[in-house]
Amino acid sequence: MRKIMMAANWKMNLSLAKLAGYIETLKLNRSVQSRDGLETVLAMPFPFLCKANELLPGTRIRLGAQNAHWQDRGAFTGEVSLAMLKEVGVSAVILGHSERRQQFGEDDEMIARKVKSCINIGMQAILCIGETLKEREQGETFSVVKRQLEAVLNILSSPGKLVVAYEPVWAIGNGNSATAAQAQEVHHFIRNIVRGKVASAADDTILLYGGSMNLSNVSELISQPDIDGGLIGGAALDPVTFSQMIDAVF
Ligand code: PGA
């Protein structure tokens, strides 16, 4: 039985001063604290991680990051390695987010290396894939998603701790979520690609939806057979809303 994962993607938002209050609010949520079938992840900016690692023991909340380099160490000014993230308690890393692909030039090959290193070091990789509006309008949704996913699957010996987040770029940050049917269709396609590579892994691989997930659409989206949770940006900046969204799932 797959778990439900609710992952907050803070992006470059919030502040160290708000960290403790955010965690305190989430700790009041009974599902977060006691439900075996739920993984709650907070993917926050690097400077908050050490403090969060001190605040999280005694909770079931997991610490996440939003990017990493694929090498352990070296002359890579401005970069952070997966080993460093692991040392400060991170157990899940968002990789290949469309904002990194579009604004920071990350390509499929680079992202595949990051995912491979992440899984090799024993951390969960949350791989983001998804088409732009133009690609959808040109009927390329499935080919884009397939290319992005296969670039990663082709260099992994096993999907292991891979989590795939389908995030249609046209739905991110604008209130214009995919419909449950649109999302389910692509999620089903993604699961079949995983099945084609490693049949035994397909039913265990957690597939998240991301893109304007909010309190009014979370329950319908996650009730789809192939949608196992959410990667939530804007709506998760408020811990009360994020907590209510988790309640809406159970
Ligand atoms: P959003 O962001 O929920 O604000 O659309 C999701 C994401 O980009 O991960």
Side-chain angles (χ1 to χ4, degrees):
M1 185 64 188
R2 288 188 297 274
K3 291 190 171 179
I4 296 285
M5 177 182 281
M6 296 295 276
N9 178 8
W10 290 9
K11 308 192 180 184
M12 198 172 74
N13 292 301
L14 298 181
S15 71
L16 197 55
K18 296 202 168 130
L19 182 64
Y22 190 109
I23 291 170
E24 281 308 311
T25 303
L26 268 196
K27 271 165 77 175
L28 299 175
N29 184 303
R30 225 189 283 148
S31 294
V32 169
Q33 287 296 70
S34 62
R35 197 175 270 274
D36 280 338
L38 171 68
E39 300 273 350
T40 307
V41 177
L42 301 182
M44 60 185 68
F46 295 139
F48 307 167
L49 292 171
C50 283
K51 182 73 183 168
N53 192 33
E54 288 169 16
L55 295 171
L56 290 181
T59 77
R60 296 174 56 117
I61 302 166
R62 293 177 45 208
L63 195 50
Q66 303 170 16
N67 184 28
H69 199 279
W70 59 87
Q71 298 273 16
D72 267 5
R73 70 189 72 80
F76 303 105
T77 302
E79 292 290 326
V80 169
S81 77
L82 289 152
M84 292 168 188
L85 295 175
K86 195 172 187 185
E87 205 179 347
V88 297
V90 170
S91 63
V93 188
I94 298 173
L95 295 168
H97 191 281
S98 61
E99 287 150 18
R100 302 237 33 108
R101 293 178 190 262
Q102 293 190 328
Q103 300 175 43
F104 301 96
E106 293 195 12
D107 60 21
D108 286 340
E109 193 194 331
M110 214 186 266
I111 293 160
R113 279 194 220 157
K114 292 181 179 204
V115 172
K116 187 173 185 186
S117 297
C118 186
I119 288 177
N120 284 350
I121 201 172
M123 292 157 84
Q124 206 160 27
I126 303 177
L127 166 70
C128 298
I129 58 176
E131 80 288 1
T132 62
L133 183 59
K134 189 165 169 231
E135 288 163 342
R136 175 161 281 259
E137 285 171 352
Q138 290 176 344
E140 293 167 4
T141 299
F142 294 102
S143 61
V144 168
V145 162
K146 185 168 190 280
R147 188 202 77 226
Q148 292 175 334
L149 181 57
E150 286 187 339
V152 171
L153 291 178
N154 286 345
I155 68 161
L156 292 183
S157 43
S158 138
K161 291 188 174 179
L162 180 67
V163 173
V164 182
Y166 169 57
E167 297 207 309
V169 179
W170 48 269
I172 293 176
N174 56 15
N176 180 28
S177 162
T179 64
Q182 281 173 322
Q184 165 57 24
E185 183 185 31
V186 181
H187 278 242
H188 186 68
F189 177 74
I190 290 170
R191 198 175 301 286
N192 277 338
I193 294 176
V194 177
R195 199 181 309 284
K197 291 284 169 195
V198 186
S200 58
D203 289 331
D204 295 332
T205 301
I206 294 176
L207 304 185
L208 307 181
Y209 169 79
S212 298
M213 195 178 245
N214 58 36
L215 198 47
S216 32
N217 60 28
V218 62
S219 136
E220 194 191 357
L221 282 160
I222 295 184
S223 65
Q224 303 302 307
D226 289 298
I227 304 183
D228 311 312
L231 181 55
I232 303 149
L237 293 180
D238 176 357
V240 174
T241 307
F242 185 43
S243 180
Q244 287 170 339
M245 287 174 72
I246 292 168
D247 285 336
V249 175
F250 295 104

